[in-house]
Amino acid sequence: MRTGRIVSASLALSVALGLSSCTTTVPERSQVRSIKGAVDVPVGVAIDVRGTAGDAASVVSAEFDQITAENDMKPEAWYDDDAQFRFGPGAKKITDFAVAHGMSVYGHTLVWYKQNPEWFFLDDEGGELTGSASDEAFLTERLRTHIFAVAESFHNVYGDFGTDGNPIVAFDVVNEAISDANDDAAGLRDSSWERILGEDYIDLAFEFADEAFNDRFAAPDADRPVALFINDYDTEFEGKRDRLHSLVERLLDRGVPVDGVGHQFHTRLSTDVDDLGAALAAFDDLDVLQAVTELDVATGIPADNAALDEQGDYYRDAFRIFRERDDPLFSVSLWGLSDDRSWRADEGAPLLFGSGLTKKPAYFGVIDSAE
Ligand code: XIL
């Protein structure tokens, strides 16, 4: 296990109020003005550019410590229609917003089987890449070029990683590498990456990311300033979790520079909240950080008042589990700000804020988790 960032909002609050750090006084709900003031783990939110303007922007900066780009840092977002790399306009806007508000950024994602430019797995003549040695070398070079270009863009605008002006603290290097099939012995998802490069694509992605973010474009005196994560969903279920655990063990055994495991936790009221704790506990034997990266809790339809109240209790209990761990989590991120903009809106009101940015019982559940 590795220890996360030392950020303690409630400790800071105690100090500000002149309370001793061993006091057990807990602020009343009415005194707590924000999630970040109440929860002593960094809390993030996934946004697109709409989250950087108007009322949404005020809520994002007032309530959260950290931002993830919901789509704007995915591979396809970095290229224009002529396949030219440029600093994605959404990524730039979101990162500027984070800097302006003193927030950190959790990058998402360098390598995924989805949301890639159409030409990513084609050769220069437009032919499908195969597993031949020359195609392997071609795709490896494309992987390296992509990862270095992303790191260099941030560096050129915000300075070295690990300096005050650069808000990037983590990146999902590889997203959703694990197969959904319980009978899949290899455990890896069938993807273009896997088909062409085999499991090696994961090693290579982490090695390139480490070189780019933590060496070439990092402050000389910074100690690996960008935490490199492998991220996946359904770790609250045993099969997926075991396959991810085995992969991370193999990576660590091979000396691959993986710093952390991200649990997406796209969950629902019917999933026992203790299963989230079990998912985290299952990785405590490994020398990795852990983060909750994409939390949302669908109520099912209809999302009536009873369901919304139950969801409030679920969020409260989930955040208690997240906060009470011996090894602090790196961060806990919500996958979106308000229900109306959620990718799971059809499954029932999954987030903390309703339309009009009203605070739901889910919001107060998170605040109450600190009591
Ligand atoms: C989702 C976004 O929320 C949607 O807006 C987009 O259309 C598809 O991707 N796992 C991930 C995220 O790692 O990148 C996905 O985000 C949700 C599932």
Side-chain angles (χ1 to χ4, degrees):
M1 69 200 80
R2 271 188 215 180
T3 315
R5 294 178 283 169
I6 316 282
V7 179
S8 171
S10 50
L11 181 61
L13 183 68
S14 305
V15 172
L17 296 174
L19 304 172
S20 103
S21 59
C22 61
T23 179
T24 51
T25 310
V26 171
E28 295 286 324
R29 180 191 282 185
S30 58
Q31 291 175 265
V32 172
R33 288 200 238 348
S34 67
I35 294 169
K36 67 181 175 189
V39 179
D40 50 3
V41 172
V43 184
V45 62
I47 59 168
D48 59 23
V49 292
R50 294 172 299 176
T52 66
D55 292 344
S58 310
V59 175
V60 168
S61 60
E63 299 286 349
F64 297 95
D65 302 284
Q66 180 171 282
I67 294 175
T68 301
E70 185 173 356
N71 289 295
D72 288 297
M73 296 183 192
K74 291 172 178 174
E76 66 180 6
W78 294 99
Y79 299 88
D80 67 16
D81 292 343
D82 298 322
Q84 291 304 308
F85 187 94
R86 84 279 191 254
F87 204 131
K92 175 78 170 39
K93 216 167 194 169
I94 287 168
T95 314
D96 284 348
F97 180 83
V99 171
H101 294 278
M103 305 174 78
S104 54
V105 171
Y106 184 117
H108 174 82
T109 174
L110 296 173
V111 176
W112 195 18
Y113 74 100
K114 280 185 179 163
Q115 292 183 260
N116 292 300
E118 275 168 26
W119 48 267
F120 234 43
F121 303 104
L122 303 180
D123 63 24
D124 289 337
E125 280 73 52
E128 291 269 347
L129 293 173
T130 68
S132 70
S134 62
D135 283 359
E136 276 183 24
F138 184 90
L139 189 62
T140 300
E141 190 47 35
R142 178 159 282 164
L143 176 64
R144 184 175 205 284
T145 305
H146 175 72
I147 291 174
F148 269 72
V150 172
E152 187 173 15
S153 323
F154 285 114
H155 171 267
N156 288 349
V157 180
Y158 305 102
D160 289 348
F161 295 102
T163 56
D164 283 348
N166 188 324
I168 311 287
V169 292
F171 233 104
D172 286 330
V173 176
V174 175
N175 193 34
E176 302 184 347
I178 300 298
S179 163
D180 288 327
N182 280 330
D183 58 0
D184 187 329
L188 290 191
R189 173 184 297 281
D190 180 18
S191 70
S192 298
W193 289 115
E194 199 274 336
R195 184 171 48 81
I196 298 160
L197 292 172
E199 184 163 314
D200 217 27
Y201 88 86
I202 301 172
D203 301 40
L204 290 167
F206 277 96
E207 278 154 16
F208 295 151
D210 194 41
E211 199 186 326
F213 287 84
N214 286 326
D215 184 7
R216 170 97 178 267
F217 300 114
D221 57 346
D223 178 23
R224 309 193 71 254
V226 181
L228 304 177
F229 277 81
I230 186 159
N231 188 45
D232 220 316
Y233 61 89
D234 277 358
T235 53
E236 56 275 35
F237 304 108
E238 228 177 290
K240 191 78 173 257
R241 157 158 97 228
D242 290 351
R243 289 191 288 284
L244 179 60
H245 189 281
S246 313
L247 171 63
V248 175
E249 246 181 322
R250 295 199 292 279
L251 294 172
L252 294 173
D253 283 350
R254 294 200 287 266
V256 176
V258 49
D259 295 294
V261 171
H263 302 258
Q264 294 185 5
F265 289 165
H266 293 294
T267 187
R268 49 190 60 76
L269 294 179
S270 56
T271 296
D272 190 335
V273 70
D274 288 334
D275 292 348
L276 308 184
L280 297 166
F283 288 83
D284 278 338
D285 62 328
L286 300 180
D287 184 21
V288 284
L289 299 165
Q290 296 199 68
V292 175
T293 51
E294 305 187 13
L295 181 64
D296 48 21
V297 184
T299 59
I301 302 291
D304 55 19
N305 285 342
L308 295 177
D309 283 343
E310 193 183 336
Q311 184 191 44
D313 293 347
Y314 196 102
Y315 267 106
R316 181 200 59 213
D317 295 346
F319 269 78
R320 279 197 182 138
I321 290 168
F322 301 154
R323 293 183 50 255
E324 283 167 8
R325 283 175 46 79
D326 290 341
D327 297 322
L329 293 174
F330 183 85
S331 58
V332 177
S333 295
L334 277 299
W335 201 246
L337 187 61
S338 58
D339 290 337
D340 49 330
R341 293 183 183 173
S342 164
W343 77 304
R344 296 179 74 202
D346 294 353
E347 295 175 65
L351 296 168
L352 306 186
F353 295 87
S355 54
L357 296 169
T358 48
K359 293 174 177 169
K360 295 167 57 194
Y363 172 89
F364 293 108
V366 173
I367 300 272
D368 289 349
S369 71
E371 286 174 14

